[in-house]
Structure formats: C-alpha cells, structure tokens
Amino acid sequence: MKAVRRVIGPIGLYLFVIAAAVGVAIIGLKVNGIAPFGPHTILRQDLNQQYASYFTYLKRNFGDWQQFLYSSNMTLGGNMFGLTTYYLLSPFNVLLFLFPYSQLPIAVAWMAVAKNAAAAATMLVLVRYFNRHYALKVVVPLQVLLGLSWAFSGWMLHYSMDLMWQDTVILLPLVVLGVERYILHTKWAFYSVMLGLSLILNYYIGYMVALFLVHYFVLRMVIQWRIAGWRLKHILLKLTYFGAISLVTVGLAWVIIWPTLKTLQGVKGTTAYHFTLTHTWTLYRMLNNLFNLTYTPMSWNNPGPAIYTGVIVMIMLAAFFFANRIPGVIRVATGVTLVLLTLESLFDGTNTAWHGFTKPVGFLQRWSFVFGFLFILMALFTFGLMRVSARAARYLFLVVVLVAIMVAFHQVRIFSYQGDYAVNQFTNVTFAYNVAMIAVGALVLTLYFAQPKWQRVTSLLVAVVGVADLAAATVWSYGHQPVYFNMARYSREVQGTNAAVTWIKQHDQSDFYRMELNYQRDRTTPMEFGFNGLTHFSSSQPHAINFMMQTMGYLSSSPWTSYDGGSTRAADSLFGIKYIVDGPAGVTNQASRLVTQGLKPLANVNGYHIYQNPLAQKIGMVAPTKATQVKSTYKYIGVANVGMVYGDLSGVDNIYMLRGGVKETKRDLKARTVNISVPGGGVNRPLYLELRHDKLYTLTPETRPDVVVLVNGKKIVTDGTETESGVIPLGTYPQGQTITVTLKVLDYTKTQKKFDKKKRITHLPKYRVLVGYQERFDQALKQMSQQRVNLKRLKTTHWRGTAIATKADQSLIMTLPYDTDWQVTVDGKPVKAHKYLELMKINLKTAGKHRVELKYTFPELRQGLKVSLAASFGLVILLIIQAITVWGWRIRNRHLERVAKAKAPLFDAHFFDYR
C-alpha cells in the first residue's frame, strides 16, 4: 500500500501542476478574447506570418516524406528539410490534426497551453529532485509555484510568438537533471537522451542550452571542489568524460543538425561576425524587466533580457544572497555566474556569439531563458535552506519592499520621458500594481519564515499570491502583444481559398501548375502554404531568389509574408502562373484590379474569383545557349532589363526601351518636387517611370510610399508598382501627346519623427522613363510557348520528360531555382546544371529530341547520417569505459557506497570514480 501511495502521490502532484498551468493559460486567453474563448486568434508576429503556413503545409502533406525534403510550394521551389526540422518536429504539433484548416488558430492556442503545462511539469521534476537529494524540505505548494514560475516566466510569455523555440526550453530542466545525475552518480544516459532531443527538436536553442551547460558545469565543479572536497584530477576526469558524452550526443544528432544547417545557410542573410563591446541594452531596461506588467506590443523586440519569473521568485532572488545557511561559496559562485551571463548579454560581441555568431533580427535576447532558470533554482535553495528569526525576517523584507519602491519609482521617472519604442512601458498603473504586489509578497514571505509552525498554511498563501501574480503577467502579456488576427476572417479566407484550390484541382488534371493568391496583402494577414504558389516567408528562401523574383516584376509586400498583390504579365507568364485567385470585396487589394486585366475568368466560388493566364509558360523552355551565358541576377534590375531576360529566352529584343525626349522642367530640393515632361508612348505602348534604388525613399506596398507620383496633376496609384525597385506604370497615351509627371517627396521628418531619428533630405529621386512594345512582348511569349518541352513531375524530387532543341548548342531553362543537389541526366548521361539568373540551365549540345531527368539527391543528409553512424561507435566506447570504471567500481565497493550514503547525504558516494 505504501508503494502505491508513493507512486500515486507524485503522479497526482504532476497532474495538479499541469491542471494549474492549463488554468492560468486559459485565463490569459479568455480575458483577452482569444479563440476558442473569443473573436481573436492567437496568431501574431511570427505565428501569423510564418507558422500558420507551415502548419497548413504539415497537415496537407503529412505521410509524404518527399514533400518535406523538397517543396514546390515555396516560391519557385526549394529544399524543405531545414524548415521541417526547424519548425515542424515538435511533438505538440500533433494537436494540429485534431482541427480543420479553418480552425488552425484554435489548435495553435491549445499548443501554446500544452507547452505551458509541459514546462511547469519538467521544472517540477527538477525541483523535486533537488528537494529530495539535498533534503531541502520545500513544501508541495512552493514546489508547484516554482514549476509554474518557469511555465509563465517572462521569456515564455515574450516568446510565445515563436513556439518552436519553446520545446527545447521546456526540456532544459530535464537536461540539467541529467547533468546532476552524471555529476553525482556518473549516470549519463538520461543526460545524453535529453540533450539529443533538445538539439533535434531545435538545434538553434539547443546550441544555446549547450553554451549554458558550460557555465552550469563550471559552477557545479566549483561547488563540488569547495563543498565535497573534489580534487583537481577528479574534476578534470569528470569534465573530460562530460565533454566526450556531449560530443557523442551532438554526433548522434548530426543527421538532423547538419542538413538543417546547410538548408538554412544563407537564407536569412548573414554578416561577418566581429567582436565588439557595444552595449546591446542599458541597465534601465534590465531593471524594468524585474517587474510585472511591463509588456508592450514591442516588448518582443526589447534588447534587454526577458527575466521576470514572478514576484515571489524575484524577492527570493534577493534573499538568496543573505541566506547564511547556504554555503558562501555557492552564493559567490552563483553570483559570479549571473554577473558573467549579464555581461555576455550586455555586450554585442558575446550576445551575438550566443545567437550562433549571427546578429538576430527581432527577439534580441533569445537565450535569456537561462536567467529565469537560475532564478528559480536560487529561490528553491533559499526556501529550503534559509532560516531567520521573526525579527530578522521583518527587517529583511521591509528592506526588500523599500528598495523595490525606490527602483520602481526610478523606473517611472525614466519611462516618463524615455519609452520603449515610443511606448511607455512603466506607467502609474504598473507602478501601483508592482509596489502593491511586492508588499503583499514580502508580507506573506515574512509570515512563512517567521512562523515555522504555520508553514503549511503560509506556504499555501505564498503559492496563491505567486500564482495570482503569474496569472496577471499572462493576462497582461496576451493583452499587450502585437495586433491579433480576427478568427472569423481567418476561417472565411481559409474556407474560400480551399474552395478555390479544390475547384482548380477538379478542373485541371495536370501533375504540376503554379497559382497565385492575389488578395492577401498586408503583414497582418496569414498566408496558407499548401499549394503550388509563389509564397515566401522568412527562413524559407535564399535572398537571391527573393531578389530575382522582385526584379522580374513580383511584388513582395514584405520579406516576412508573401509574394502577392499582383505582378507584371511578364513575370506571371515567365514563371508559369497559370491561375490567379482574387478575393471578394473587402479583401481584394488595389493592385489586384491591375493584374487581373486581360486574364480569362473561369469561376466565382463563394466570392473568390478564379482567373487563368493563357500566356503562362511551362516549367521549362529552350533558349539559345549564347544568349543565356550571362551570369548574376544583379544585371537584371528594372523593367528594361526584364525585357533583356525575355530577349535571352525568346530571341525577341527591344520589348522595353528608353523613352527619348524626356525633359526635366523643375527640380526644387526645398519643395521636394521634380517635374518632367514626357512624350506619349503611342498606341498600345505604355510608359513606365523607373525610380532608382535609394535608402531615403520607399515604395514598399505595405507602407505609405514616401514619393507621390502625379500625371498631369492627377495622383496615380503607386501601390501597384511593377517591382519593388520602383517601376511605376504611368499608363498609355497617344504618341503626339506630352504629359507632365510630378514627383513629390513627402516630409519624412514630420510623419516619422516620433519613431525615428531625423532623416534629412539631401537629394531628390533619380529616374528614367521607358516605353513598352506590346507587340514584341506578345511575340516573345508566343515564341516561348511554342517550345516543345514536356516534363512531368513524378515526385516532388523527381522530374522526367523530353525537350526538343531546334539546333545544336541550345539550353533548357528550368524555372526551378538553381541547386547543386539536383542530379541531371540528358539522354541517360549525367550532365552538370548551370545557373542562369538564379534558375537552372541544362545545356543541350545537339539538335533533336532529348530525354531529360532530374532527381533531387540532397547529399547533406547522407553526410549527416555518416557522422551519426560514426558517433554510434563513440557511444560504444563510452559504454565500455562506463562498464570498466563505474559499474566495476560499484561491484567492488558496494559496502563503501552504503556507508557513505548513510553518513553524509551530500557526500559523493562515487568519489573514487576513475582513480
């Protein structure tokens, strides 16, 4: 019966802490009206702009592993392995399959809740281990509170917009538990498994965990040296063996890590690492993060570390250094470790090293979870070892309250004139709340320590106050995040999109075609990632492809969202956009009306219009070799050079030419105005204004453009510019008519002075005017469409078909991004693929019909597997060493082990390991 109680007791406690975490998380969702408890979705920032799409892709393609190796749904196509391992390996993703596509945000909300609960449970495991092993006698309510403090720490709340990072953070307590078991008992299997899982689930945060373990292991060795009397030889042996175990574990996980690194390499755009001592944040921001209710819509981008773990833990953090029963070496070593971590966070060079030697863009302190973790352990030992008299307790916590009030008041003064991204974080409301909560927390802690006989009651009171504070942090955080996307609109758009995609699939039995959603426009709109369309997201496409797409005429509303909002007919046709789906009224953007002109309407499904582009080209086309030997995408910038690309591929030149006779009639820097006169283009020959790249101006569709364009005094829409290089269609005018074009630069300093430093306008835009020859463009398209290329997609990673060259030395240009992992054969013989722009070029040396086959091999996966297999031999060696040393010692010294445990619980029974 006792054995049953010993089992049921811990299980019941874990179930309770999980239920408590679920309850706190639901309160945060409910109060803020987040689905399934309100009209909003949990989608915001990265959850909105990336995850919604990736989760949709996971649901649509689950079971077809080829789709997770290479995807045609990612812009023009690309390696999907890195995205799969980085975003989609979380075991919590199983919840996605319990909900339909239209309710995916609800599934994501429950995923967030489940991760909070899991974090509370894993921290409780570590807390109970320390409590038992070191005889701390911390009562159950406080154990539960410490578990919840980890689940709803400042880091977990701040970074709830990046759920994939949370999995490894959830595992951190278990990884440290494995480290403790190794240090004290030389049992390392659990550590190896937990570290391996951390690296597999997210190598990026796993790398940060590994760096933290270096700090933690050094801290523990210092403690073992001073407290347990370990000798230097013993410490070095422990350290060497620990390093070998960690290295073997990384090697075993290399089959995932290496292909992921290679896939994502160069995607986000990296700069060379340079060590600098520039401050990444100020002490004021660090102090601000010691308090609750300081989250704002921009807190996710706060350069200071997210370190708040609840009022009780923060008070106990201060008490830790005054707890005389905690050995001084532990307090000093822990304090030194915290100071070291703070300095590493403060300086740009070390902070960047924590982020893999690449400076992060947003979420600037991604590794700051290590602070909260140490704070909770410090609070645990303070609860377990601090003993003070009733009088001393009153004085101690009175000092805590007074110091907190002074610091909080100082924060009010600071943030009254120095906000965080122009948002005042510390207001009278947050000041009053924090001072009151600190006073209440200090009071209940005083009762807890001053009245030992009543600790069962007072510990429960402390836990209630602490959990209430964590709940307030959760409610405030969910309520003060970036704008949420509306649930009803999400469901409506997903249902409408799916209906349109289903209609297309029913009426087109092709093995492959590309389509475009033309109504999703702004950064707050999530994008589905489940069809052969030109979507684009951060971490999913190399920048060179992004640049090429833009220069060829595609609008990218943001590098974080998608290609949408329409594009030139030239770009649509070149990349084979066969279908365009336009949204209903209220969703359609301005530019969509431009792009759908001249397309063939097919159907209207629930208000979603489906168009067909009759000029869409196939996946490949044959072109003269000499014309396609031009290197580098960067030659092709602007609409005139788009014509050069069509000339290369079709042999038809002069689609776009410079308009002669352009005269500048006025340039006034003070008035920020340029006037030019332009002769008309002629019948069916539109004019284009091309503004050169300039950091001072922007025509990005998602923002209000800085340059207003007027033709004969009438403002024209620049939101539908043909490329983000600044190509603006001016319209079609008779050849004999002269038009006046006015460029007016807005007063940037007035519209943005609250948010940015003053930007002085020192010059006006550079420009040129071009005229388009529609008849030559039509001729080029006709020439390209008549090329006899017939390639079929057998699998995502396998294409096979024929291409006919009309003469020798021609090239097959595939509208697939160039990738060295494609293995190409022509007429059964391996050939080397080359790069044209960022596309793939296959040389056809002889005239006639050629059999072409492409297979995506991805050798990095095999390379990673080889390293993992080699690491398995290292694992065998470690097991042999374990058998000879540890297990052999235990067999020979069982009596000594029993005596050591009986006499000194803190004594390492395996002190003589490896001697």
Side-chain angles (χ1 to χ4, degrees):
M1 194 65 182
K2 290 183 179 179
V4 174
R5 283 199 297 268
R6 281 197 298 269
V7 173
I8 294 178
I11 292 177
L13 181 58
Y14 289 117
L15 291 177
F16 177 80
V17 78
I18 289 172
V22 169
V24 172
I26 287 177
I27 289 172
L29 298 176
K30 176 71 174 176
V31 173
N32 290 288
I34 299 173
F37 306 104
H40 308 299
T41 69
I42 198 173
L43 304 182
R44 70 266 194 238
Q45 292 298 111
D46 286 1
L47 270 178
N48 192 33
Q49 298 158 14
Q50 300 177 65
Y51 288 68
S53 241
Y54 299 148
F55 290 155
T56 300
Y57 187 87
L58 176 65
K59 279 175 61 69
R60 288 189 188 276
N61 297 286
F62 188 78
D64 184 357
W65 70 271
Q66 297 257 355
Q67 294 285 355
F68 298 97
L69 184 61
Y70 189 93
S71 175
S72 300
N73 302 111
M74 190 171 61
T75 312
L76 298 177
N79 191 316
M80 188 69 186
F81 188 88
L83 290 181
T84 301
T85 56
Y86 194 54
Y87 289 93
L88 303 179
L89 288 188
S90 171
F92 295 92
N93 289 349
V94 69
L95 292 173
L96 297 170
F97 297 93
L98 303 179
F99 295 83
Y101 294 107
S102 60
Q103 295 183 16
L104 183 141
I106 296 177
V108 176
W110 286 120
M111 285 170 55
V113 172
K115 292 191 178 189
N116 290 135
T122 58
M123 179 55 76
L124 182 60
V125 171
L126 183 62
V127 165
R128 286 177 60 79
Y129 175 83
F130 277 122
N131 191 55
R132 180 177 62 257
H133 187 80
Y134 294 108
L136 299 178
K137 297 181 180 179
V138 177
V139 292
V140 168
L142 297 181
Q143 295 177 23
V144 172
L145 172 62
L146 294 177
L148 294 174
S149 297
W150 180 239
F152 299 99
S153 63
W155 191 93
M156 287 291 286
L157 293 175
H158 272 69
Y159 291 87
S160 61
M161 293 172 282
D162 272 289
L163 287 177
M164 88 272 189
W165 290 342
Q166 291 188 342
D167 287 50
T168 298
V169 174
I170 290 170
L171 288 176
L172 176 59
L174 301 183
V175 176
V176 171
L177 175 59
V179 174
E180 289 291 327
R181 285 164 58 89
Y182 165 74
I183 292 174
L184 300 174
H185 308 296
T186 321
K187 297 178 180 178
W188 50 266
F190 185 78
Y191 161 71
S192 182
V193 171
M194 290 299 106
L195 179 62
L197 281 176
S198 298
L199 293 168
I200 289 172
L201 292 180
N202 194 283
Y203 80 95
Y204 183 56
I205 303 300
Y207 160 78
M208 298 175 188
V209 166
L211 282 185
F212 171 67
L213 291 181
V214 174
H215 295 73
Y216 184 82
F217 197 85
V218 171
L219 170 63
R220 289 292 286 111
M221 289 299 99
V222 171
I223 294 173
Q224 291 302 110
W225 169 53
R226 298 299 299 170
I227 302 299
W230 282 17
R231 298 176 183 177
L232 180 61
K233 179 181 178 181
H234 189 192
I235 291 175
L236 291 177
L237 284 171
K238 279 279 187 181
L239 181 60
T240 301
Y241 198 41
F242 180 74
I245 295 166
S246 302
L247 187 62
V248 167
T249 301
V250 173
L252 291 172
W254 202 246
V255 65
I256 298 294
I257 297 173
W258 177 243
T260 302
L261 287 171
K262 294 299 290 183
T263 300
L264 298 179
Q265 189 177 41
V267 167
K268 280 188 171 288
T270 59
T271 56
Y273 172 75
H274 298 288
F275 180 82
T276 66
L277 292 178
T278 306
H279 291 187
T280 59
W281 47 269
T282 65
L283 181 60
Y284 293 148
R285 296 187 186 276
M286 182 75 160
L287 292 175
N288 193 60
N289 291 344
L290 294 172
F291 295 92
N292 199 350
L293 307 191
T294 55
Y295 309 102
T296 73
M298 292 301 295
S299 291
W300 62 274
N301 212 24
N302 193 330
I307 58 177
Y308 189 73
T309 51
V311 65
I312 299 299
V313 170
M314 302 311 286
I315 293 176
M316 298 305 291
L317 172 65
F320 173 85
F321 296 100
F322 297 95
N324 291 330
R325 287 176 61 89
I326 300 176
V329 64
I330 294 180
R331 287 181 285 161
V332 171
T334 305
V336 170
T337 301
L338 282 177
V339 171
L340 179 62
L341 290 171
T342 301
L343 292 176
E344 291 174 9
S345 171
L346 177 64
F347 297 118
D348 181 74
T350 48
N351 181 55
T352 303
W354 271 90
H355 292 91
F357 298 94
T358 301
K359 186 173 295 186
V361 180
F363 301 98
L364 304 178
Q365 294 283 338
R366 304 176 185 187
W367 61 278
S368 60
F369 57 85
V370 304
F371 290 95
F373 179 80
L374 286 177
F375 292 172
I376 292 171
L377 293 189
M378 292 164 68
L380 170 66
F381 278 86
T382 307
F383 274 124
L385 296 176
M386 190 171 79
R387 300 289 183 270
V388 294
S389 65
R391 182 177 181 182
R394 288 194 293 270
Y395 283 129
L396 178 61
F397 290 107
L398 178 61
V399 170
V400 170
V401 173
L402 291 177
V403 171
I405 292 174
M406 287 189 293
V407 173
F409 181 72
H410 190 47
Q411 291 300 92
V412 171
R413 291 180 62 247
I414 293 168
F415 283 91
S416 63
Y417 61 85
Q418 180 187 326
D420 182 13
Y421 292 90
V423 179
N424 192 348
Q425 284 185 297
F426 221 85
T427 65
N428 292 334
V429 173
T430 56
F431 171 79
Y433 172 86
N434 280 283
V435 171
M437 187 55 69
I438 291 171
V440 172
L443 176 61
V444 296
L445 286 171
T446 301
L447 293 174
Y448 174 79
F449 285 104
Q451 303 294 331
K453 295 182 180 180
W454 296 93
Q455 281 190 351
R456 285 190 176 183
V457 176
T458 54
S459 65
L460 184 59
L461 189 60
V462 170
V464 169
V465 171
V467 172
D469 180 63
L470 294 172
T474 305
V475 171
W476 184 273
S477 179
Y478 276 127
H480 290 77
Q481 297 283 13
V483 179
Y484 294 102
F485 195 76
N486 180 267
M487 182 65 200
R489 179 180 170 187
Y490 181 91
S491 297
R492 182 176 67 248
E493 290 188 4
V494 168
Q495 290 170 350
T497 302
N498 285 346
V501 172
T502 301
W503 188 95
I504 293 173
K505 289 182 176 180
Q506 291 173 347
H507 292 80
D508 191 326
Q509 303 303 315
S510 303
D511 62 291
F512 178 83
Y513 52 81
R514 288 186 173 127
M515 61 174 290
E516 182 182 79
L517 296 185
N518 196 41
Y519 61 86
Q520 296 183 319
R521 192 73 177 90
D522 57 74
R523 293 190 66 167
T524 64
T525 305
M527 182 77 170
E528 280 205 297
F529 194 52
F531 53 88
N532 297 327
L534 299 184
T535 56
H536 170 69
F537 296 82
S538 171
S539 304
S540 67
Q541 187 66 57
H543 285 271
I545 301 295
N546 185 17
F547 182 81
M548 180 196 65
M549 296 288 290
Q550 292 180 21
T551 57
M552 288 305 296
Y554 266 89
L555 282 176
S556 174
S557 66
S558 162
W560 299 83
T561 52
S562 60
Y563 290 105
D564 57 22
S567 61
T568 61
R569 296 294 298 282
D572 274 345
S573 302
L574 175 65
F575 294 125
I577 305 300
K578 190 174 182 180
Y579 300 101
I580 295 178
V581 179
D582 199 10
V587 181
T588 301
N589 63 80
Q590 294 178 355
S592 66
R593 299 190 185 90
L594 300 175
V595 76
T596 54
Q597 293 176 3
L599 299 180
K600 179 182 178 181
L602 296 180
N604 184 326
V605 182
N606 298 329
Y608 286 75
H609 302 276
I610 303 172
Y611 298 89
Q612 182 178 359
N613 178 14
L615 302 178
Q617 302 300 304
K618 298 178 181 179
I619 194 69
M621 59 202 77
V622 177
T625 298
K626 290 183 179 180
T628 59
Q629 289 179 343
V630 179
K631 299 180 180 179
S632 175
T633 302
Y634 305 100
K635 171 179 171 55
Y636 299 94
I637 302 176
V639 68
N641 293 321
V642 171
M644 293 175 62
V645 173
Y646 267 83
D648 283 348
L649 300 179
S650 66
V652 178
D653 296 323
N654 300 327
I655 296 176
Y656 299 100
M657 296 185 66
L658 283 173
R659 171 79 280 181
V662 176
K663 296 181 181 179
E664 184 173 305
T665 59
K666 179 182 179 182
R667 177 174 287 263
D668 189 336
L669 181 61
K670 185 175 181 180
R672 302 180 300 281
T673 303
V674 177
N675 287 352
I676 55 178
S677 63
V678 184
V683 178
N684 203 26
R685 293 177 184 175
L687 295 175
Y688 298 89
L689 174 69
E690 183 177 291
L691 299 182
R692 299 300 180 92
H693 286 285
D694 199 318
K695 294 181 179 179
L696 192 60
Y697 316 110
T698 177
L699 288 167
T700 307
E702 64 172 308
T703 61
R704 184 169 60 84
D706 295 329
V707 180
V708 175
V709 181
L710 301 96
V711 177
N712 295 333
K714 184 179 180 180
K715 181 179 177 180
I716 65 173
V717 177
T718 58
D719 219 18
T721 54
E722 294 210 1
T723 74
E724 289 195 320
S725 302
V727 178
I728 303 169
L730 300 177
T732 301
Y733 302 91
Q735 190 167 4
Q737 178 181 351
T738 299
I739 63 173
T740 300
V741 179
T742 302
L743 308 180
K744 173 74 174 178
V745 180
L746 300 180
D747 190 348
Y748 182 90
T749 59
K750 288 184 178 180
T751 58
Q752 297 291 324
K753 65 181 180 180
K754 292 183 179 179
F755 305 100
D756 300 280
K757 294 180 180 179
K758 186 174 181 179
K759 185 183 288 187
R760 297 183 182 276
I761 297 177
T762 58
H763 59 277
L764 295 173
K766 297 179 181 179
Y767 61 88
R768 62 178 181 174
V769 181
L770 304 105
V771 58
Y773 289 78
Q774 185 67 37
E775 65 274 18
R776 291 177 183 168
F777 174 58
D778 293 340
Q779 182 185 354
L781 287 174
K782 182 179 179 180
Q783 184 78 15
M784 294 164 64
S785 63
Q786 291 177 348
Q787 295 169 356
R788 300 175 67 181
V789 176
N790 185 20
L791 289 173
K792 294 183 178 295
R793 186 179 65 173
L794 306 179
K795 298 178 181 178
T796 303
T797 56
H798 191 184
W799 290 78
R800 182 188 295 162
T802 60
I804 297 177
T806 57
K807 60 182 181 180
D809 293 328
Q810 291 189 330
S811 292
L812 172 62
I813 305 298
M814 301 288 295
T815 53
L816 293 173
Y818 173 77
D819 191 326
T820 55
D821 291 344
W822 281 106
Q823 185 182 68
V824 182
T825 60
V826 176
D827 298 326
K829 298 179 181 179
V831 299
K832 182 181 179 181
H834 302 275
K835 183 187 292 187
Y836 171 70
L837 302 177
E838 296 300 328
L839 304 176
M840 186 160 50
K841 182 181 78 165
I842 302 168
N843 290 333
L844 305 175
K845 293 184 178 181
T846 60
K849 188 175 183 179
H850 299 277
R851 291 179 290 108
V852 180
E853 187 170 13
L854 296 88
K855 290 184 178 180
Y856 196 74
T857 56
F858 198 29
E860 291 81 5
L861 190 58
R862 293 193 298 274
Q863 295 166 4
L865 181 59
K866 290 178 181 178
V867 173
S868 294
L869 290 175
S872 65
F873 290 103
L875 178 63
V876 172
I877 294 173
L878 290 177
L879 289 173
I880 293 173
I881 296 174
Q882 180 88 354
I884 296 174
T885 57
V886 179
W887 297 334
W889 183 90
R890 287 175 182 166
I891 293 172
R892 295 189 300 270
N893 298 279
R894 287 178 179 174
H895 176 69
L896 177 62
E897 182 180 14
R898 287 194 296 269
V899 172
K901 285 185 176 179
K903 290 185 175 180
L906 296 182
F907 175 69
D908 182 6
H910 307 294
F911 176 77
F912 298 101
D913 291 359
Y914 318 121
R915 289 173 64 86

